């Protein structure tokens, strides 16, 4: 599945999605978010695709929300139409792993979109930030919620209260990204990680993502119990039997995703 503004390639068990607006800053318009959600949901429906790499243009992963559209909103319209929430919240419910390959600008909504992904790989020229305060508004797609969880309270306060951006190396040091690579190796590295993820059993990947996400929404004791129940449930899988047999027999496992 491919649209003009979200282009898709499939490499084995990994889907590569590119945000591809004519505006290379990739402002996150409703049209773009709807197309992205449709593409990601299509991946969810494909049993042979286990992971997605999401990237942008040479200039930007996404440089922010659609300021032109936002400038025309009033409170009643934003609230009643659930601006941002109605499309963005569907990304949160996706179960397969998503890897963000971030090059160039990832500002405002672009930074928030990257944080909605499960792994973030940054090019050395990547720039992250939450500049909404400069527009006289609060971040609206998770900037005040996901950034403290990813990078800590002080870093999140600095970013959100000043609107200052951070470099890829700064993002790495605070834990916002997993690793930084040269720009010309960004997609190759993200795809390598995607392929490393996708070779594993799909039901186990779904369970791991769900369990890690649960850690941010529950107490430690409840999170540990949730993890333990998923661990116990794993003994019902054919892939658990195969994985452990392959380990004992010193061979690569042949997972069947059940």
């Amino acid at each position: 599945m491919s649209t003009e503004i979200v282009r898709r390639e499939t490499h084995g068990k990994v889907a590569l999605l590119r945000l591809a607006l004519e505006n290379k800053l990739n402002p996150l318009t409703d049209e773009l978010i709807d197309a992205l959600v449709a593409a990601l949901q299509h991946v969810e429906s494909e049993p042979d695709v286990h992971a997605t790499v999401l990237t942008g243009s040479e200039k930007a992963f996404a440089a922010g929300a659609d300021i032109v559209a936002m400038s025309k909103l009033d409170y009643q319209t934003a609230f009643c139409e659930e601006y941002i929430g109605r499309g963005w919240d569907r990304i949160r419910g996706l179960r397969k792993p998503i890897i963000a390959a971030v090059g160039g600008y990832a500002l405002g909504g672009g930074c928030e979109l990257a944080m909605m992904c499960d792994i973030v790989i940054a090019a050395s020229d990547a720039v992250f930030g939450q500049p909404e305060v400069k527009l006289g508004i609060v971040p609206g797609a998770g900037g005040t919620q996901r950034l403290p969880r990813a990078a800590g309270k002080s870093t999140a306060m600095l970013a959100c209260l000043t609107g200052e951006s951070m470099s890829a190396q700064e993002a790495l040091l605070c834990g916002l990204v997993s690793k930084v690579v040269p720009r010309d190796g960004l997609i190759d590295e993200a795809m390598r990680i995607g392929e490393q993820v996708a070779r594993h059993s799909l039901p186990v990947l779904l369970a791991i993502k769900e369990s890690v996400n649960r850690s941010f929404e529950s107490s430690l004791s409840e999170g540990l119990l949730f993890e333990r129940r998923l661990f116990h449930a794993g003994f019902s899988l054919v892939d658990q039997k195969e994985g452990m047999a392959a380990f004992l027999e010193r061979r690569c496992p042949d997972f069947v995703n059940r």
Side-chain angles (χ1 to χ4, degrees), residues 122-128 166-173 177 179-180:
S124 54
D125 69 343
V127 179
F128 298 86
M166 68 179 81
S167 69
Q169 286 296 333
E170 289 171 323
L172 178 64
L173 288 173
V177 306
K179 63 192 316 183
V180 176

Side-chain angles (χ1 to χ4, degrees), residues 71-115:
S71 68
K72 300 174 183 178
L73 292 174
D74 56 23
Y75 168 76
Q76 179 179 343
T77 304
F79 178 73
C80 292
E81 294 185 1
E82 189 62 16
Y83 181 67
I84 289 184
R86 69 178 186 273
W88 292 67
D89 287 349
R90 287 181 287 174
I91 299 175
R92 180 185 177 192
L94 296 170
R95 302 180 69 197
K96 292 182 180 179
I98 304 173
I99 299 155
V102 179
Y105 297 111
L107 302 176
C111 185
E112 291 166 319
L113 178 60
M115 289 190 291

Side-chain angles (χ1 to χ4, degrees), residues 201 204 234-245 255 258:
S201 168
V204 176
F235 287 91
S236 67
L237 294 174
V238 173
D239 285 342
Q240 175 266 328
K241 304 296 186 292
E242 167 61 13
M244 294 190 179
F255 293 128
R258 57 188 176 88

Side-chain angles (χ1 to χ4, degrees), residues 112 115 130 138-152 156 160 216:
E112 291 166 319
M115 289 190 291
Q130 299 292 158
V138 174
T144 66
Q145 300 301 304
R146 291 189 177 91
L147 190 53
R149 288 167 167 80
C160 292
F216 293 103

